Amino acid sequence: MAKILIIEDEAAIRRVLVKILSEENSKYEVFEAEDGLVGIEKIKVEDYDLVLCDIKMPKMDGVEVLEAIKKIKPEIPIVMISGHGDLDTAVNTMRLGAFDYISKPPDLNRLLNTVRNALDRKELVVENKMLKKKVSKNYEMIGESKAISDIKNIIEKVAATDARVLITGPNGTGKELVAHWIHQKSERSKGAMIEVNCAAIPGELIESELFGHVKGAFTSANKDRAGKFEAANGGTIFLDEIGDMSLSAQAKVLRALQENKIQRVGSDKDIKVDVRVIAATNKDLKKEIADNKFREDLYHRLAVILVKVPALNDRREDIPLLVEYFSKKISKEQGSPIKNFSDKAIKKLQQYDWTGNIRELRNVIERLIILGGEEISEEDVKLFATK
């Protein structure tokens, strides 16, 4: 049932609006406030789907009420109620975020159409917000172990902020999934997420890759080129395997984090960037710092939030869920029937030493689906899950 709040100082107008809305549509639950101050207090403690607000009121006029509501609960559509002399003000309230306005005395059809449209708009806004909070199936984190639940809880708290995050854990554990979850659940999800594998880029090229270069900066620099930080402006940059980054590049990343500015290689011109940085590594960065291979000041800049992704051996209770997920996904990719795994096959997989973590498990599942019987048995696991 949609909850509608009417903020109107004239009791006669309130009665008319309540009568129209209550009698015309039993799906509307209508509430009243005799002035703007009372209306705002109600909105602070209760969720409404729509507000009808008069413009000319004592204590606080409708424009002030509109601005206050937009700060408290910006998603609520607000329809302004205007007298003949308030039409210019009513139009101005549209610029301030009002959904629409209706004139006094209210026309029945106009009022009901406006209310329906405003409620439809509210539903669409809520739906879009929920969709934004959903993570693409390509980056699902499968598991119900305490370790995975703890990570999901951290992500829920961190995603809405711009706090930098350092993700640690062995190779193949899914550190990139954590990075994608954080990005997709954040307000930056409408911007790009740019991934950089620091270990895969030669040391002499990493600065150009990250910050771009100008023509003539080095032998093969035939034209100006933007770097990854510029590409990620307004979004997120994911620096994977940051422990393999050169000290020279680390110094420039540190400056970018401190000043929100970068310089292309070969240029002394500052470029402002608005980028959230998420980094990941399989190395012990504190040991790297002790060995003078990683900057301590950069570590502290990156590690505002630390997320440690556990090895698969430390979350064996998640293996049945992972097997089910990968078997469905792989069967769909191959266009083949989904194969079940016997309980003994699952138990055998849980006993293995998964040095390659999730990545290794996925490969084993694919091999078993291709080479195993109609139901994957313990014998299939012994034969084809080569260790």
Side-chain angles (χ1 to χ4, degrees), residues 21 36 54 64 66 78 87 127 130 144 235 283 285 288:
L21 294 173
D54 189 18
E64 294 174 306
L66 169 66
I78 304 166
L87 285 178
E127 190 176 312
M130 289 176 66
E144 295 177 354
K283 293 187 174 182
L285 290 188
E288 296 293 299

Side-chain angles (χ1 to χ4, degrees), residues 262-275:
I262 61 162
Q263 287 182 355
R264 292 182 180 179
V265 176
S267 171
D268 58 1
K269 180 182 176 183
D270 285 337
I271 300 172
K272 287 190 71 67
V273 289
D274 171 25
V275 177

Side-chain angles (χ1 to χ4, degrees), residues 29-71:
E29 189 176 4
V30 186
F31 301 84
E32 301 176 52
E34 62 272 19
D35 60 53
L37 293 176
V38 173
I40 288 170
E41 289 305 312
K42 284 178 176 285
I43 286 166
K44 285 179 180 177
V45 298
E46 189 67 63
D47 289 326
Y48 296 99
D49 298 294
L50 173 64
V51 172
L52 300 180
C53 181
D54 189 18
I55 291 178
K56 294 293 184 184
M57 293 186 293
K59 298 183 181 178
M60 192 176 199
D61 69 31
V63 177
E64 294 174 306
V65 174
L66 169 66
E67 291 175 327
I69 294 173
K70 284 298 174 186
K71 288 178 182 177

Side-chain angles (χ1 to χ4, degrees), residues 251-313:
K252 289 197 172 184
V253 169
L254 178 64
R255 179 176 183 265
L257 298 184
Q258 289 173 328
E259 302 177 14
N260 295 321
K261 296 176 184 175
I262 61 162
Q263 287 182 355
R264 292 182 180 179
V265 176
S267 171
D268 58 1
K269 180 182 176 183
D270 285 337
I271 300 172
K272 287 190 71 67
V273 289
D274 171 25
V275 177
R276 181 183 196 168
V277 176
I278 301 175
T281 183
N282 64 347
K283 293 187 174 182
D284 181 347
L285 290 188
K286 291 192 174 179
K287 183 177 184 304
E288 296 293 299
I289 290 167
D291 294 339
N292 295 316
K293 294 180 181 178
F294 200 84
R295 296 182 62 115
E296 185 172 11
D297 47 5
L298 177 58
Y299 172 82
H300 290 302
R301 286 279 176 178
L302 292 171
V304 176
I305 303 294
L306 272 169
V307 179
K308 184 176 180 182
V309 184
L312 183 56
N313 288 340

Side-chain angles (χ1 to χ4, degrees), residues 338-357:
I338 297 172
K339 290 188 176 182
N340 292 322
F341 283 67
S342 70
D343 291 342
K344 288 185 177 181
I346 296 288
K347 285 179 181 177
K348 191 68 180 174
L349 289 170
Q350 286 181 297
Q351 294 167 2
Y352 275 39
D353 180 21
W354 295 103
T355 54
N357 295 294

Side-chain angles (χ1 to χ4, degrees), residues 91-106:
V91 171
N92 183 51
T93 62
M94 299 281 286
R95 298 192 189 101
L96 295 173
F99 177 80
D100 202 348
Y101 66 87
I102 56 175
S103 300
K104 294 181 182 178

